[in-house]
Amino acid sequence: MSASRHRLGRLIGNAVLLAAVATTLAPLLWMLVTSLRPKQDVFDGALPSALTFDNFSAVLHSVDIGRQLLNSVIFAGGVTLGQLAIGIPAAYAFSQSRGRWSRWAFAVLLLTMSVPFVVVYLPNYILLSEVGLLDSHAGMILPQVASAYGIFLLRQHFQAFPRAIVEAARIDGASEWMVLWRVVVPASRSAISALAIFVFISTWNEYVWPQLVAGAPGMQTLSVGVAAFASEEAGTQWGSIMAAATIACLPTVAAFLALRRQIFNVLLEGAVKG
Amino acid sequence: MGITSLAACGSDDADTSSASGADGTPVEIQYWHTNSDANGRPAVQALVRRFNAANPGIHVTERTYDGYAALLENVQTGIASRRPPDVATVGYNSLNYVAGNFPVVPVSELVERYGDEGPLRAMPENIAALGQQDGRQIGLPYGLSLLVVFYNADLLRRAGVSEAPRDWAGWEAAARTIARSGGDPAINFQQYPGDNFISQALIAGNGGAMTQCVSGETKAAFAQPPAVEAMSWWAGLIRDRLALNVTADQSMQSFLAGRAATLITSIASRETLEQQARFDVQAAPFPTFGGKPQQLPAGGNTLMVFSQEDAKQEAAWKFAQFLDSRPSLETWVHEKGYLSPIPGVARDFTARNPMQAVADAELPAAIPWTSWPGRDGLAATQVVSDATDTILGGQKSAADALTPAAEEIDDTIAGASCQ
Amino acid sequence: MAPALLLFGAFVLWPIARTGWLSLHDWNLVSPDREFVGLDNYSELLGDPDFHRLLGRTLMYVAIGLVGGFLLPVGLAMLTLRHAGRATGVYQTLLFVPTVITTAVGALVWQFMYLPSGGPVNELLDTVGISPVNWLKDPSTALPAVGVVGAWQNLGFSYMIALAGLSAVSPTLLEAAELDGASGWQLLRHVVLPLLMPTLLFLATTAVLHALPNVFVAIEILTSGGPAGSSSNLLYDVYSNGLRFFRVGEASAEAVVLMALIGGAAVWQMRLIERGVTYER
């Protein structure tokens, strides 16, 4: 292959990639620009005539963003910690045991993984209200902790862990619990933190569930707040909505940008191996 | 407890309350509504504070939902798990469904039990009727809005249309003029998914109806000639590129972007439009078909009481009356941009807002927004909406789409009685 | 493991069982008379042409999910590894951004993108001479338009996995495969593909299983399943039938059918994965 052909390939390849990036980011740029425009400018072509923070201050005045932010942190943080606390031991148990029942249990688990949450959220809603957990953080968090996805990913990872090391630790007299927390978990820190970040971000962005079980004043998460803000009977205030949307996106995007190296490294070394 | 409070509230005195829990703690009641932080909720919160302060024996907490569908969803699951709201704003278009399927305490019963007609006395007959099923008062008409034509006066002027038309023929002609000069389709209805607000307004305006009562049984009437004619006409406008057929948000965007000459929607949008439009927004009454009388489905909601315990029920009724009382409406109508179910409220406000006055003048034409009875009542609404979609999209003619839809609905609501 | 089992029992298995039980009833969630109707809900569903159409639309969404969550990210990842060089990290980061954005926000933004007149999508088409499309109101375009939003939001995730998996194969190996014609094909088939198998299978599985959940919020915000149901799918219909129209029995029966379909697909794919993984070793 000649160098010029190679250069052409490189050009085309990068052009396609740039086009993909542009398509991907265009809607978000529009969101940002709209949020910074004067109200009457919203539909005025691509470039704003002036920039203003009016929309942001309007949002901050009419919506209790601080409270919603706190709710989102509690919700996403709670689900993440819960999934790890439940998922790590369960995944380890599944990775170690070869018994018939555990294979069955794992198969059932995998099947439930494919059941979309929407299917069970009506019965779950009724269950929560029966035990009085509606409009509570616990009620938002608990059902979401029961996620098979994390167990599945971690089990794959733990299985790849060298058995010799585990055996050696056992021979040294370590209990299973100690093997897990002193040997396996520290060695899998990267995979676990990758999972944690993912769970956190996807929970943060959840909309249907928190809207259903925590619609009370003071309990709304950011994503619910933004959507509520947008579906106005009185019509859509695009500037404020996009300001609210930008505020809702800021923490996750910032966290992602700050931690992207770790996230990607972890995925590059971990996820696919499993 | 129930007996003492009953006695105390038998009097007409609305400002004192003896209602309180057996051990002296206040009666806790919940008010569920659909007003958001940006639109109306602050006013709701102010009213709740005012009520709680004036009624130490009662404590109201409010809770908001993202739209009527979400609210109904939560009322339904709330009832299923035995934690229903005490007072909730139920959209007019699910009145019959809720009356038939939910354990709502009808207003007529509350009046009988607690002896006060309250705001109902002050309401015009056609407005009170918005909360009735077969002549029985189920809910207390509260939120109230009607369709108007918001228009871009600058755009009309540029196109040579000096005055907003009054009837559909006039608007159609204006739309043609605008189209000829290369403008966007001018007639722009804001249609929310799965509701038939616009269809009903056109059908009723053309002398038709969504339902009729045939020997004591509710039947679909929207496949009859006046209805078919109205819907065909609408589809024709879209086909001729005189009307837009877009989602609700998109219709507002098209108007605000200065492209579509009109936005035909509820008066509740007035403030939003005023704030975001960079052109001269004005409002005209919803057009008529020739000399046929104006008939407009009323948007908004009734206050419904769901409490089963005596103490809560009484407190709930008291709160509902408070919300619908003249002083509360003064605050509310102004903040929310709604119309008042009681005449003479917020006169200054209406006087200052010519657009609001246009909608206010339409009130005598308000008719109940159709709500289908029976277990499949809500699904029936969707059947009509789906038929409308296929007509407007040009997939089927009005007659071909409406006839099977009417049959399907007659099947599913079979036996629903009416008067 | 006990707490895991307890939580799963309470919030996953029990609700699933309850769904199965409810599917044998005619009930609206509040009425005290819950009528047992046996398999009526199922036979009604299976005989209903609307339901058949719904299944067709469900498959369409799965197809779009496979394009957006498998073909496209794998293609882009290949391009990246071959040509991007040091820019790889930048592409990776930028393409990932929509994934960390609230789904509700993403859908709201696209509402504007799809404006029939003045919307960026149609403006762009206009520059190449294509007349405006009424994306969300035309029954033939509503489904793909909604599908694109779901794909847009999830592309970054699949792309990252694809990139990670594909980088397991050294560029020289790929180049060799590209250069050598016939023997290159052999190389691709017997060396490269087996190396990539676990990644590809993982991506395909995820794409299929997430196809419906990924578009759920977009449907709700953009079309509510319309016009005339043309952008709905089985998962969305479970929701609207159950929680909007309160036809709990029918919705539960649909949910059971959906779970059976997904469960079947999952089992089948798990087999493939097991095989793929052993192949690798």
Side-chain angles (χ1 to χ4, degrees), chain B residues 157-335:
Chain B
R157 229 171 282 138
R158 274 200 306 277
V161 183
S162 54
E163 207 179 321
R166 290 267 143 178
D167 60 4
W168 282 120
W171 278 108
E172 202 178 329
R176 272 185 212 288
T177 312
I178 293 169
R180 263 199 301 277
S181 57
D184 274 28
I187 298 173
N188 179 21
F189 293 105
Q190 188 173 32
Q191 290 180 77
Y192 286 93
D195 89 26
N196 304 301
F197 202 42
I198 307 283
S199 327
Q200 193 187 344
L202 292 176
I203 289 173
N206 197 35
M210 295 298 263
T211 62
Q212 60 185 349
C213 202
V214 181
S215 49
E217 231 181 271
T218 308
K219 293 275 182 201
F222 58 76
Q224 291 170 7
V228 172
E229 189 185 49
M231 298 300 281
S232 308
W233 170 79
W234 185 6
L237 291 181
I238 293 168
R239 198 182 46 237
D240 298 347
R241 303 191 51 78
L242 301 176
L244 281 174
N245 180 31
V246 293
T247 67
D249 278 338
Q250 290 181 336
S251 62
M252 180 161 287
Q253 287 159 7
S254 297
F255 182 63
L256 286 175
R259 304 184 75 111
T262 66
L263 180 67
I264 304 172
T265 190
S266 142
I267 188 64
S269 299
R270 178 192 50 81
E271 198 181 346
T272 309
L273 297 178
E274 279 174 345
Q275 284 178 1
Q276 291 187 83
R278 1 177 38 191
F279 45 80
D280 179 12
V281 191
Q282 297 192 21
F286 192 81
T288 53
F289 283 102
K292 291 174 189 160
Q294 195 181 42
Q295 288 203 77
L296 282 174
N301 55 67
T302 67
L303 297 169
M304 285 200 191
V305 173
F306 293 96
S307 331
Q308 300 300 320
E309 286 167 46
D310 287 348
K312 286 188 181 227
Q313 206 173 79
E314 186 186 349
W317 174 230
K318 186 165 203 157
F319 179 64
Q321 291 184 74
F322 164 81
L323 286 178
D324 230 350
S325 68
R326 204 172 284 274
S328 305
L329 285 172
E330 286 284 352
T331 310
W332 173 243
V333 165
H334 174 86
E335 285 286 325

Side-chain angles (χ1 to χ4, degrees), chain A residues 30 39-44 49 62-64 68 121-122 125-135 207-208 211-218 220 224-225 227-240, chain B residues 32 34-39 41-42 45 62-68 70 73-74 77-78 80-83 145 190 192 249 252-254 256-258 266 268-278 299-300 336 338:
Chain A
W30 179 75
K39 263 191 185 132
Q40 299 86 354
D41 261 18
V42 171
F43 298 101
D44 243 27
S49 60
S62 66
V63 183
D64 194 350
Q68 293 183 356
Y121 85 128
L122 172 62
Y125 177 92
I126 298 176
L127 187 67
L128 284 184
S129 77
E130 280 163 359
V131 295
L133 281 180
L134 281 185
D135 288 324
Y207 165 68
V208 182
Q211 181 231 10
L212 185 69
V213 295
Q220 289 184 339
V224 176
F229 202 72
S231 60
E232 283 303 344
E233 192 190 359
T236 313
Q237 295 269 15
W238 281 99
S240 327
Chain B
W32 291 7
T34 58
N35 305 289
S36 66
D37 284 329
N39 181 240
R41 182 150 169 239
Q45 287 166 327
E62 52 90 33
R63 194 178 154 153
T64 184
Y65 289 96
D66 185 7
Y68 290 122
E73 196 173 278
N74 280 279
T77 38
S81 56
R82 287 173 286 281
R83 286 162 195 269
S145 71
Q190 188 173 32
Y192 286 93
D249 278 338
M252 180 161 287
Q253 287 159 7
S254 297
L256 286 175
S266 142
S269 299
R270 178 192 50 81
E271 198 181 346
T272 309
L273 297 178
E274 279 174 345
Q275 284 178 1
Q276 291 187 83
R278 1 177 38 191
K336 182 77 181 171
Y338 266 165

Side-chain angles (χ1 to χ4, degrees), chain A residues 15-263:
Chain A
V16 171
L17 285 165
L18 279 175
V21 168
T23 318
T24 304
L25 293 187
L28 300 175
L29 284 179
W30 179 75
M31 169 180 94
L32 195 65
V33 170
T34 306
S35 73
L36 291 168
R37 285 183 150 179
K39 263 191 185 132
Q40 299 86 354
D41 261 18
V42 171
F43 298 101
D44 243 27
L47 289 175
S49 60
L51 293 179
T52 164
F53 282 100
D54 285 0
N55 292 316
F56 285 89
S57 64
V59 171
L60 294 175
H61 279 116
S62 66
V63 183
D64 194 350
I65 288 274
R67 181 79 216 177
Q68 293 183 356
L69 200 69
L70 184 68
N71 287 330
S72 283
V73 169
I74 295 175
F75 177 47
V79 170
T80 308
L81 289 179
Q83 283 201 16
L84 291 184
I86 296 289
I88 291 174
Y92 180 68
F94 279 124
S95 76
Q96 294 305 308
S97 111
R98 297 257 178 255
R100 203 172 172 55
W101 76 268
S102 96
R103 282 178 66 100
W104 271 103
F106 190 66
V108 169
L109 202 70
L110 283 190
L111 281 179
T112 65
M113 185 170 99
S114 50
V115 174
F117 194 68
V118 178
V119 169
V120 295
Y121 85 128
L122 172 62
N124 272 337
Y125 177 92
I126 298 176
L127 187 67
L128 284 184
S129 77
E130 280 163 359
V131 295
L133 281 180
L134 281 185
D135 288 324
S136 71
H137 290 120
M140 284 162 89
I141 293 167
L142 276 178
Q144 299 280 52
V145 167
S147 156
Y149 195 62
I151 299 182
F152 169 73
L153 281 181
L154 289 176
R155 179 250 195 190
Q156 301 294 90
H157 194 85
F158 291 163
Q159 259 182 348
F161 194 79
R163 288 189 82 81
I165 299 181
V166 174
E167 297 299 342
R170 284 192 188 133
I171 289 166
D172 286 349
S175 69
E176 284 300 314
W177 198 245
M178 273 169 69
V179 173
L180 172 61
W181 293 107
R182 296 271 168 80
V183 180
V184 179
V185 167
S188 314
R189 215 166 31 211
S190 54
I192 292 172
S193 47
L195 176 69
I197 293 164
F198 270 116
V199 173
F200 188 91
I201 289 177
S202 57
T203 311
W204 179 280
N205 289 336
E206 247 177 73
Y207 165 68
V208 182
W209 175 250
Q211 181 231 10
L212 185 69
V213 295
M219 287 303 295
Q220 289 184 339
T221 61
L222 265 179
S223 60
V224 176
V226 175
F229 202 72
S231 60
E232 283 303 344
E233 192 190 359
T236 313
Q237 295 269 15
W238 281 99
S240 327
I241 289 168
M242 290 304 135
T246 307
I247 295 171
C249 295
L250 231 50
T252 47
V253 175
F256 162 68
L257 290 179
L259 295 170
R260 70 180 189 284
R261 238 169 254 287
Q262 285 89 322
I263 298 179

